[in-house]
Amino acid sequence: MVGLNSASRAGTTPLVTLSQSASEAMDFVAGFERDYGHGRVMPRFVTEGFMDALQRSRHEYKLLFVYLHSPEHPDTPAFCEGTLCNEILAAFLNENFVAWGGSVKASEGFKMSNSLKASRYPFCAVVMAATNQRIALLQQVEGPKSPEELLTTLQRVLEESAPVLVSARVEAEERRTNIRLRQEQDAAYQAALEADQARERQRQEEQERLEREAAEAERKRKEEEEARERAEREAAEREAALAKMREEKALALGPEPEKGPDVTQVLVRFPSGERKGRRFHCTAKIQSLYDYVDSLGCLEVNGYRLVSNFPRTVYGEDKFSSSLKDAGLHPQASLFVEMN
């Protein structure tokens, strides 16, 4: 008898969690198929943790064949290819056993090697579920074996364990029969009771459904109303902020200067074909031209740039601090708006 949760050479840590053990089992099966499959008949190792594989064997009334894989052992490749993947042996295993394999390099495989006290590889064992988180170790096979040797051992263990498996199957059948009889005896009484309960439940469910639909409709109405009000409020806030910004920029420009030798006439052509003009002092900055366009409110702020045609010059952010005169726009300039 082997205790799976008792102290061992690996300490008192229980087997790894279901998700991790299942992941390790899947990795082992994938690696085994990759390294030794190659079209051969091979044992159908389950892709689940050891405890789940043990429960599977119990439910299927089969013994559990355990293979602990030591990838660095020199006898491992020959044993996997020549013995475990032997057609006759693999078919016998698949027919009569639930097979579980684990690498001793992985957490659960290492812990099982300690629980089963594996001292030599390749290592195989035949176990069956017992009680209180324990297993019965029926046979262990250590070291390299031929297919014939391993097959003989498995046949012997299977024959010796057959009465126990048959007894377990019979007991399970008897339990299922007794349960079925009790269920049939209760069915007549339950049918009438459940019919009444079903009618009452249907009435309550219908009432609850109507209440839910009404509540959901009211919730959606409120959400839509709140969303509409929020959108209107945000739009109004954005528009107010833009209007304020345009007003501030218009005020910052100051009054338009009268014509004179130090005054620059600027004409701005928009993508729509519309033209706007204004006079600026020649010492005004390029930034003032953008403030002027922004104050008109017909373009999205920062969504455009001012460009001259001949020669083509882009008056972008790098020229904001330049004066109109230094930028070559005095005494007059014709610019067009180029959208970003």
Side-chain angles (χ1 to χ4, degrees), residues 252-311:
L253 289 173
E256 184 176 6
E258 297 295 334
K259 295 180 179 180
D262 293 330
V263 174
T264 302
Q265 178 69 43
V266 177
L267 181 67
V268 179
R269 180 163 53 86
F270 292 84
S272 63
E274 184 180 6
R275 299 171 182 267
K276 295 285 185 180
R278 190 185 190 282
R279 293 184 297 276
F280 296 84
H281 198 276
C282 66
T283 58
K285 307 299 182 185
I286 296 294
Q287 176 69 60
S288 299
L289 301 183
Y290 281 85
D291 291 343
Y292 167 64
V293 174
D294 290 341
S295 70
L296 298 176
C298 53
L299 292 176
E300 181 180 350
V301 178
N302 300 326
Y304 66 95
R305 54 186 179 177
L306 296 176
V307 182
S308 64
N309 261 333
F310 303 106

Side-chain angles (χ1 to χ4, degrees), residues 12-172:
T12 58
T13 305
L15 291 181
V16 291
T17 59
L18 172 63
S19 58
Q20 183 180 349
S21 60
S23 176
E24 290 178 359
M26 293 173 66
D27 290 342
F28 165 75
V29 172
F32 192 93
E33 291 178 347
R34 181 188 63 246
D35 296 337
Y36 307 111
H38 308 303
R40 296 188 181 95
V41 177
M42 54 179 287
R44 288 195 297 268
F45 292 107
V46 293
T47 54
E48 55 196 16
F50 177 83
M51 291 305 299
D52 287 330
L54 190 64
Q55 290 302 315
R56 178 188 292 272
S57 68
R58 170 182 282 177
H59 295 154
E60 295 181 7
Y61 307 103
K62 292 182 177 181
L63 301 179
L64 180 63
F65 174 79
V66 178
Y67 168 59
L68 298 180
H69 185 68
S70 178
E72 296 177 359
H73 196 281
D75 292 329
T76 294
F79 180 75
C80 291
E81 294 177 354
T83 299
L84 289 183
C85 292
N86 176 269
E87 183 174 355
I88 297 175
L89 177 65
F92 182 77
L93 276 174
N94 294 336
E95 177 67 22
N96 299 285
F97 294 82
V98 172
W100 179 86
S103 172
V104 296
K105 296 294 184 180
S107 298
E108 191 164 43
F110 176 74
K111 291 182 180 181
M112 287 308 303
S113 70
N114 287 325
S115 296
L116 297 174
K117 295 180 173 56
S119 60
R120 187 181 176 196
Y121 294 92
F123 180 90
C124 302
V126 178
V127 302
M128 67 183 302
T131 56
N132 299 326
Q133 294 293 310
R134 299 174 73 85
I135 60 173
L137 176 59
L138 305 180
Q139 181 70 48
Q140 65 184 40
V141 180
E142 296 182 292
K145 302 293 179 184
S146 68
E148 294 76 18
E149 290 175 313
L150 184 56
L151 181 60
T152 300
T153 301
L154 295 178
Q155 288 173 331
R156 176 179 54 78
V157 175
L158 188 62
E159 291 172 358
E160 293 173 351
S161 304
V164 177
L165 297 176
V166 171
S167 176
R169 186 185 298 273
V170 170
E171 289 178 2

Side-chain angles (χ1 to χ4, degrees), residues 153-218:
T153 301
L154 295 178
Q155 288 173 331
R156 176 179 54 78
V157 175
L158 188 62
E159 291 172 358
E160 293 173 351
S161 304
V164 177
L165 297 176
V166 171
S167 176
R169 186 185 298 273
V170 170
E171 289 178 2
E173 288 293 340
E174 290 178 351
R175 286 194 299 270
R176 285 194 291 269
T177 299
N178 292 334
I179 292 173
R180 185 174 63 253
L181 289 175
R182 285 196 299 270
Q183 291 174 342
E184 290 174 354
Q185 291 169 357
D186 294 339
Y189 171 77
Q190 289 294 329
L193 179 61
E194 290 175 0
D196 292 339
Q197 293 174 341
R199 284 191 293 270
E200 177 62 18
R201 186 166 57 251
Q202 184 177 6
R203 185 192 65 78
Q204 292 179 353
E205 289 175 352
E206 179 64 17
Q207 181 177 350
E208 291 172 356
R209 184 185 65 80
L210 294 174
E211 291 174 353
R212 284 196 304 271
E213 290 178 353
E216 179 67 14
E218 178 64 16

Side-chain angles (χ1 to χ4, degrees), residues 307-333:
V307 182
S308 64
N309 261 333
F310 303 106
R312 174 179 169 81
T313 304
V314 177
Y315 299 94
E317 294 183 3
D318 58 325
K319 294 184 172 60
F320 277 8
S321 60
S322 299
S323 69
L324 301 183
K325 186 174 184 179
D326 292 342
L329 299 177
H330 182 71
Q332 63 182 12

